[in-house]
Structures are given as C-alpha cells and as structure tokens.
Amino acid sequence: MKKVWLVTGASKGLGLKLVEKLLASGYQVAATSRKLDDLQKAVGEKSENFIPLETDVTDEASVEKAVRETIAHFGNIDVVVNNAGYGLAGALEELTDAESRENFDVNVFGALNVIRKVLPHMREQGSGRIFNVASIAGFIGSFPGFGIYCATKFAMHGFSESLAAEVEPFGIKVTIVSPGYFRTGFLSSASLKVPKHEIGAYENVRQVQKVHENEYNGNQPGDPEKAATAFIKIAEQQNPPLHLFLGQDAYDLAESKIKAVQKDLDTEKELATATAFVTA
C-alpha cells in the first residue's frame, strides 16, 4: 500500500517537485504552504489523493490543524518532510535580533512544531519516516554572510540526531537531508532575505551575496526532480540513512569538512587529550 506523505513548504522549490513526483507515482499527499492560493495554483485543488493546507509552521495551532486534517482525510501519516524554510544572507553584525530570530522561528522551531504534533500519531501506529531538510550549510559553515542561516541548519542536524535516537524504539526513522545547490527559486528574492541595514565594510559578504543572487541563481547543478526521486527511494528503504547528502557539490563540501576536522584532531591530539586528572 502506498504511503501517506505530509510535505511542508510545498508551493515552490524542492517541496513542490517532491509533491508533483509523489502524486504522479500514486502516493497520497498532504501539502502545506503559508498561502493556500499559491499551493492550489501550483499543484491543484483538493482531491482523493491530495489535500492542500494553509499552514503557518511557526503557529502550533495551525500545525496541529494540518496534522488533524491530514489524518481525517487519509487515515494516517507515514512520511513527514520538514521542508518549509528560507535563506537569510548577511553578516552576523548586520542582522538584527528580529531578523535572526525570524529565521530560527521558521527553519528550526517550525520543524519542531511539526515533529511534536505528528509524533503522537506515529508512536501510536508504531512506524513513520521523518525527513528534516537541512542543507550542506548545516554541515559546513564557511560561507561569509550565511552565518545565521547556517546556524539554523546546524541546529536541525543536531536535534535530528537526538530525535533519531529518541524515536527508534517506536519504529520511527529519521533522515537529515543536506542538499547542495539545486535549480529552484531558493536564491530568488522570494526565498532569500537580506539585511535591512547593510554595513559597507563587509565587502566580502556583499560579494558572496551577489554571486549567489546573480551567478548561482538559475545555474545550480542539481536537478530537483532527481532529488525528489531520491526522497521516495530512501522512504522505501527498510534501514534509511540518518545523513543524506544530495548532490555532488554537497558530497565534495562534506568530504572537505571531514578532512579539515580530521586534520585538526591529528594536529592537536597530544595537547588536547592531555587534560585528564592524574592520579598517583
């Protein structure tokens, strides 16, 4: 029997491609967006296999309503994809407290709201799959101007690893998805916010920002349809990976981070491990 999927942030980008691929493959899908009209225009009206849901992931009541309506329509939820989120560019000094917290509210606390509301159902049925869509920027953070965004995705990596250990006894599997650059609208103004008050001294940040907006945007190497296929195949695996890096660029960056960490471990091992109490 085909699984029931709940996908957040599904009116555009990777979430939209995933929903389209799922429906074309015969799955039952509930999809959320902040604006119902956007979702209906992108995917379609409510049907036997699809329900569009206007949901604010930062609002617990809104998330609870979406979960409740999904179960009422399909009877259960098998797979959850925490995809809702947005990019934020800007040096740490430039971004206000409000701008930074808003990014965390959506990218981190929004996903946690979904997890809290769906887990009672998954625990009761003794099964479930949770995909938390992070980013390669949640594994390697050396991108000038993306510190807060990286922090939100590093947070997702951290709580997802703990979540995987917590829910394993209930038959629930967790996969952290870390995409590289995929050809979606993620780098457009609708999905990538910039500081309201820029500081002229940060020329390196402006350069990275301009490259992302003008050179990478529309030229990303990753095919989102192939990414959607990967999601579906992983969801069908009996023992899915905890970490899923998507794209050759994501693999290359992850491997460079692992090598850099290993180098630091080896270089300072003698000093850093000589820290225990010495007993007579």
Side-chain angles (χ1 to χ4, degrees), residues 252-279:
D252 291 345
L253 287 166
E255 288 172 349
S256 71
K257 168 68 177 285
I258 292 168
K259 289 178 181 177
V261 171
Q262 188 63 57
K263 181 181 177 181
D264 286 345
L265 284 171
D266 294 341
T267 300
E268 302 299 341
K269 183 176 182 179
E270 183 176 356
L271 174 65
T273 59
T275 53
F277 285 104
V278 178
T279 57

Side-chain angles (χ1 to χ4, degrees), residues 192-239:
L192 181 64
K193 295 188 178 182
V194 297
K196 293 179 181 178
H197 305 290
E198 295 180 350
I199 298 174
Y202 285 103
E203 294 180 7
N204 60 336
V205 171
R206 294 291 83 74
Q207 182 60 35
V208 170
Q209 185 178 320
K210 289 177 181 177
V211 167
H212 279 78
E213 293 175 330
N214 301 322
E215 296 181 26
Y216 290 171
N217 190 22
N219 296 305
Q220 299 96 322
D223 183 341
E225 290 194 11
K226 292 180 179 178
T229 298
F231 272 86
I232 296 170
K233 288 185 176 181
I234 294 295
E236 297 299 334
Q237 292 180 2
Q238 185 174 355
N239 295 301

Side-chain angles (χ1 to χ4, degrees), residues 127-204:
S127 64
R129 300 292 172 90
I130 297 174
F131 287 95
N132 289 331
V133 183
S135 168
I136 186 57
F139 189 76
I140 179 170
S142 53
F143 305 101
F146 285 89
I148 293 299
Y149 175 73
C150 288
T152 68
K153 295 305 183 177
F154 267 77
M156 181 172 275
H157 271 256
F159 75 65
S160 296
E161 290 185 3
S162 292
L163 176 66
E166 291 169 358
V167 301
E168 184 179 11
F170 309 113
I172 302 168
K173 305 292 186 180
V174 177
T175 295
I176 310 160
V177 186
S178 298
Y181 290 106
F182 279 81
R183 200 164 299 177
T184 68
F186 181 75
L187 295 177
S188 66
S189 59
S191 298
L192 181 64
K193 295 188 178 182
V194 297
K196 293 179 181 178
H197 305 290
E198 295 180 350
I199 298 174
Y202 285 103
E203 294 180 7
N204 60 336

Side-chain angles (χ1 to χ4, degrees), residues 75-110:
N76 64 296
I77 299 174
D78 298 302
V79 185
V80 169
V81 181
N82 275 309
N83 176 68
Y86 70 91
L88 179 64
L92 294 177
E93 185 183 354
E94 294 177 310
L95 294 168
T96 65
D97 181 76
E99 288 171 321
S100 301
R101 287 178 185 273
E102 183 182 15
N103 204 210
F104 270 88
D105 281 343
V106 175
N107 293 4
V108 178
F109 295 106

Side-chain angles (χ1 to χ4, degrees), residues 7 11 33 57 59 65 105 111 125 137 158 161 189 201 276:
V7 182
S11 63
S33 176
V57 295
D59 183 334
K65 182 173 180 288
D105 281 343
Q125 70 184 16
E161 290 185 3
S189 59

Side-chain angles (χ1 to χ4, degrees), residues 61-77:
S62 181
V63 172
E64 185 172 21
K65 182 173 180 288
V67 171
R68 186 171 61 248
E69 290 184 6
T70 301
I71 295 173
H73 189 77
F74 294 125
N76 64 296
I77 299 174

